Amino acid sequence: MRIKHIVLASAILVSVSSFAQKDELKKLKKIYEKEIPSANDLVEYKALVVKVEPLATEEGDKVYASFYKAMTPVLDANAIDKTMSPQQIQMALAKLATPKAISDLAIGLNTTLDYEKETGKKVYTDDINETIAAFKPQLIDFAMELGKINKNKEAADILYSVYTLDKKDVDLLFYAASYSVNANDFDKALEYYEGLKKLNYSGEGSIYYAYNEATKAEENFGANKKLRDVAITAKSHSKPREEKIPSKRGEIYKNIALILKEKGKTAEALTAIQDARKENPSDETLLMAEAELYLGNKDYDNYSRLVNEALAKSPNNADLVYNLGVISSNINKLDEAEKYYLKALTIDPNYFNALLNISELKLRVDEKYVTEMNKLGTSEKDNKRYEVIKSEREKNFKSILPYLEKAVELKPDDEAATKTLLSVYRALEMTDKAKALKAKM
């Protein structure tokens, strides 16, 4: 008899808890559905969330208890005093939009969406989608601001959480991976890049622009061509243009390879790139990613082979030609390096790095001239040789001038180019030009 009484008492206790839980969920729903909850409402809401969570036993009750808890920062955000300055509002939002809060929000909302899809009963599905649409741009902006102050891990966490809220926006996963790399969180970066690889994400597309007649400035319509075209038809905008977004696939596979290499898995890194190229044989960015991996391993033969393969497809790619010059310079094939730098400048006369590097290449010869001049004595024969070398040295400096002057014209604030040009002016005793350049520094 005693045992039966205990069982019966337990049953009554569960029943009472269940009723209390249902009642609390109803109260939470009532507060949640208020357009602008009061301060007292928020206090009660948070107390109910804490109380109901451990009591929830049925799957649906657990889902909605989790949903109400996850939505707490959203209610807090809606209750922010809108009469405050924009800066004060932004600061208030920043306190609420912590990476953990956003991650919890994403989990709570996705769990609810999955449950309502499974049961076929849409209670909050539409509301959740509206919430995501409303808060997503603000959360992305917040993540970008964190990135600007080098809080890269926090930015990555927020972007990934926002991605889980809207998995159609795969760009967010790419940027979460990029911020993870900046934060040296290579495990997360690898996880995200592998996810992008699995989705076969390329990021290719177009950004559409048009000139806004009212603001007198060009407006970015993002990837929304239809909206841009409507604006053109309505004559509120003019001068439409399109900007192509190149494939990010090469960068993704290259970063997977670099992370694997960082982890000491060089063979796996190379295999990852080679496998990617098999799947996407026409993707030149992948070809260059493999080439850069060889470059990092100082395998110059394979690097040159792949770059020449790329050049066969894109003979007017100044970057590829320039890179061959860098490799030739690194292995002391200076004549070959000069040939590649000159070819890069033929393709793009304003290629700053090629201008600077060809100048540096020619300056290497100067060391040889100075060394020989310092070894000469005062004999007639030595004096004649001195004059010959001096003439050759001046000739070499004069051959450098056009490249250095062009480089400084392109980037007047570049310290290396400016200081080198100043040294050449002084060596050639071009006093007036040296003074004028010095005055600008």
Side-chain angles (χ1 to χ4, degrees):
M1 290 294 291
R2 189 178 179 186
I3 293 172
K4 288 181 181 177
H5 280 302
I6 291 171
V7 171
L8 183 61
S10 298
I12 291 169
L13 182 63
V14 169
S15 177
V16 170
S17 296
S18 179
F19 280 125
Q21 164 203 316
K22 297 287 186 185
D23 189 47
E24 282 147 0
L25 283 169
K26 285 178 183 176
K27 288 180 182 176
L28 279 167
K29 187 173 188 290
K30 188 177 179 181
I31 297 172
Y32 173 80
E33 291 178 350
K34 286 188 176 183
E35 191 170 338
I36 303 176
S38 67
N40 289 335
D41 287 332
L42 286 175
V43 171
E44 185 182 1
Y45 183 92
K46 291 172 185 178
L48 287 167
V49 162
V50 172
K51 191 175 180 183
V52 78
E53 193 175 27
L55 297 176
T57 53
E58 296 175 14
E59 184 186 2
D61 293 340
K62 286 180 180 179
V63 167
Y64 290 113
S66 175
F67 167 75
Y68 290 126
K69 182 181 179 182
M71 288 295 287
T72 302
V74 175
L75 267 70
D76 279 330
N78 285 335
I80 289 174
D81 183 0
K82 303 302 187 291
T83 62
M84 294 193 301
S85 69
Q87 188 177 7
Q88 288 173 318
I89 291 173
Q90 188 66 29
M91 288 173 66
L93 283 170
K95 289 179 182 178
L96 299 172
T98 64
K100 186 179 184 311
I102 296 166
S103 177
D104 289 345
L105 177 66
I107 292 167
L109 298 192
N110 282 321
T111 302
T112 309
L113 287 172
D114 291 342
Y115 177 75
E116 293 191 356
K117 186 178 181 181
E118 183 185 328
T119 60
K121 295 178 180 178
K122 288 187 176 182
V123 180
Y124 287 124
T125 295
D126 292 341
D127 192 42
I128 288 171
N129 289 330
E130 286 177 15
T131 299
I132 292 170
F135 282 91
K136 180 180 165 184
Q138 296 176 51
L139 294 174
I140 293 171
D141 288 345
F142 180 50
M144 297 301 178
E145 290 302 317
L146 288 171
K148 288 177 185 176
I149 56 174
N150 292 321
K151 290 191 174 183
N152 295 305
K153 187 180 185 314
E154 292 87 343
D157 289 344
I158 288 174
L159 288 170
Y160 180 74
S161 294
V162 179
Y163 163 69
T164 63
L165 287 170
D166 182 8
K167 289 196 173 182
K168 296 188 295 296
D169 194 348
V170 190
D171 287 340
L172 293 176
L173 183 58
F174 174 79
Y175 291 118
S178 300
Y179 277 114
S180 294
V181 169
N182 293 340
N184 294 324
D185 189 354
F186 296 122
D187 289 336
K188 279 290 182 189
L190 186 59
E191 177 191 331
Y192 298 156
Y193 282 131
E194 289 287 3
L196 290 162
K197 179 181 170 183
K198 190 175 179 180
L199 292 167
N200 200 30
Y201 167 83
S202 75
E204 280 183 284
S206 297
I207 298 175
Y208 298 94
Y209 298 88
Y211 182 78
N212 188 317
E213 298 292 347
T215 63
K216 305 299 180 187
E218 189 174 61
E219 187 175 334
N220 183 338
F221 286 81
N224 198 328
K225 183 178 185 296
K226 285 184 179 178
L227 187 61
R228 195 278 310 270
D229 290 349
V230 167
I232 295 295
T233 304
K235 300 191 184 305
S236 63
H237 292 68
S238 61
K239 303 174 189 173
R241 74 177 180 91
E242 177 182 348
E243 193 173 290
K244 292 288 184 185
I245 303 170
S247 171
K248 298 182 180 78
R249 199 174 277 131
E251 182 181 346
I252 291 164
Y253 284 105
K254 180 181 75 176
N255 285 344
I256 288 173
L258 290 174
I259 293 168
L260 288 170
K261 187 185 172 193
E262 182 74 20
K263 290 174 171 285
K265 300 176 180 179
T266 305
E268 286 182 42
L270 191 55
T271 300
I273 288 288
Q274 290 169 342
D275 287 347
R277 287 195 64 202
K278 287 175 188 174
E279 293 293 322
N280 305 276
S282 62
D283 194 328
E284 289 183 31
T285 61
L286 291 177
L287 186 153
M288 286 311 300
E290 183 181 354
E292 287 183 37
L293 191 59
Y294 282 126
L295 178 60
N297 291 336
K298 297 184 178 178
D299 185 345
Y300 299 129
D301 289 340
N302 273 318
Y303 175 82
S304 297
R305 172 180 62 80
L306 288 174
V307 170
N308 278 305
E309 184 183 330
L311 275 173
K313 297 177 181 179
S314 304
N316 291 321
N317 189 322
D319 290 332
L320 294 180
V321 178
Y322 168 79
N323 286 340
L324 282 174
V326 172
I327 295 305
S328 300
S329 177
N330 286 342
I331 56 180
N332 286 316
K333 292 185 177 180
L334 304 187
D335 289 341
E336 198 172 286
E338 184 175 352
K339 179 186 75 175
Y340 285 125
Y341 290 143
L342 287 171
K343 186 176 178 182
L345 288 169
T346 302
I347 298 167
D348 179 3
N350 294 328
Y351 201 125
F352 176 80
N353 285 340
L355 291 164
L356 204 59
N357 279 21
I358 200 168
S359 303
E360 185 273 333
L361 208 62
K362 288 176 173 290
L363 280 171
R364 290 191 197 184
V365 182
D366 191 57
E367 187 178 344
K368 180 185 74 173
Y369 292 144
V370 172
T371 301
E372 187 178 352
M373 289 169 82
N374 287 337
K375 286 180 180 178
L376 294 172
T378 56
S379 67
E380 187 178 347
K381 182 182 177 182
D382 284 351
N383 286 339
K384 284 182 180 178
R385 178 61 185 159
Y386 183 91
E387 290 302 321
V388 169
I389 299 170
K390 182 183 175 185
S391 177
E392 288 179 1
R393 189 178 182 226
E394 287 180 0
K395 186 178 177 182
N396 185 52
F397 279 138
K398 286 176 181 177
S399 74
I400 295 169
L401 272 181
Y403 302 108
L404 276 177
E405 287 178 333
K406 180 71 172 178
V408 171
E409 179 189 329
L410 291 170
K411 292 190 179 181
D413 295 330
D414 188 272
E415 191 175 343
T418 308
K419 283 186 174 180
T420 307
L421 179 58
L422 184 62
S423 298
V424 172
Y425 279 152
R426 285 170 174 168
L428 290 170
E429 297 180 358
M430 299 173 72
T431 311
D432 290 344
K433 286 203 170 188
K435 281 181 180 178
L437 184 60
K438 181 70 177 173
K440 294 177 182 177
M441 293 172 68

